[in-house]
Amino acid sequence: MTSGTHPRHQLDDRIHSPVRFSLLALLRTVDEAEFGVVRDALEVSDSTLSQAAAILGEAGFLRIRRLRVGRSTRSWLALTDSGREAFERHLGVIRTIAEPDG
C-alpha cells in the first residue's frame, strides 16, 4: 500500500480486480455457493474463477470446500470472516471516493 492521503491508497489490490470484487460481492450474500453457479453468475470461465479464488484463498478471504461426487470433484466457495471484513472495508473506501460528501 502506498502512503498518501487520498482514499485510493486504502484499496486492497487483492480485492480490486473486477472479477475478485464481483466474487466477494456475490459471496457476501450467501453462506456458500457451488463453483459452477458462481462461474455462471459472474459470466467467467472456469480458469478465470479458479485464478480469482486462488488469490483470495491465499489472502485468507475465501474458503474452498471440495467434495467428491461420483467420479468428479465439486467445489463450494465461501467468504471467511476476514474476507467479509476486508470486503466491507474495501467497499467503504470506494464509497468514500465516489461520495466524498456523503
Side-chain angles (χ1 to χ4, degrees), residues 40-57:
D40 294 347
L42 297 183
E43 301 175 349
V44 295
S45 67
D46 286 351
S47 174
T48 298
L49 181 54
S50 291
Q51 290 172 9
I55 290 167
L56 294 171

Side-chain angles (χ1 to χ4, degrees), residues 6-93:
H6 191 276
R8 78 174 182 282
H9 298 293
Q10 298 172 32
L11 291 171
D12 190 324
D13 289 337
R14 298 168 295 183
I15 296 173
H16 201 63
S17 91
V19 172
R20 293 190 301 261
F21 181 85
S22 298
L23 173 55
L24 293 179
L26 183 147
L27 291 176
R28 79 192 267 248
T29 65
V30 298
D31 290 333
E32 184 176 61
E34 196 270 327
F35 185 93
V37 172
V38 173
R39 178 201 59 221
D40 294 347
L42 297 183
E43 301 175 349
V44 295
S45 67
D46 286 351
S47 174
T48 298
L49 181 54
S50 291
Q51 290 172 9
I55 290 167
L56 294 171
E58 289 172 12
F61 297 163
L62 185 73
R63 184 181 76 250
I64 303 170
R65 183 172 66 91
R66 291 181 175 86
L67 182 65
R68 193 100 172 123
V69 178
R71 291 191 228 186
S72 63
T73 302
R74 295 184 63 186
S75 299
W76 282 264
L77 308 174
L79 279 182
T80 62
D81 289 341
S82 62
R84 189 172 304 281
E85 291 166 8
F87 181 79
E88 294 301 330
R89 201 170 34 252
H90 190 85
L91 191 55
V93 173

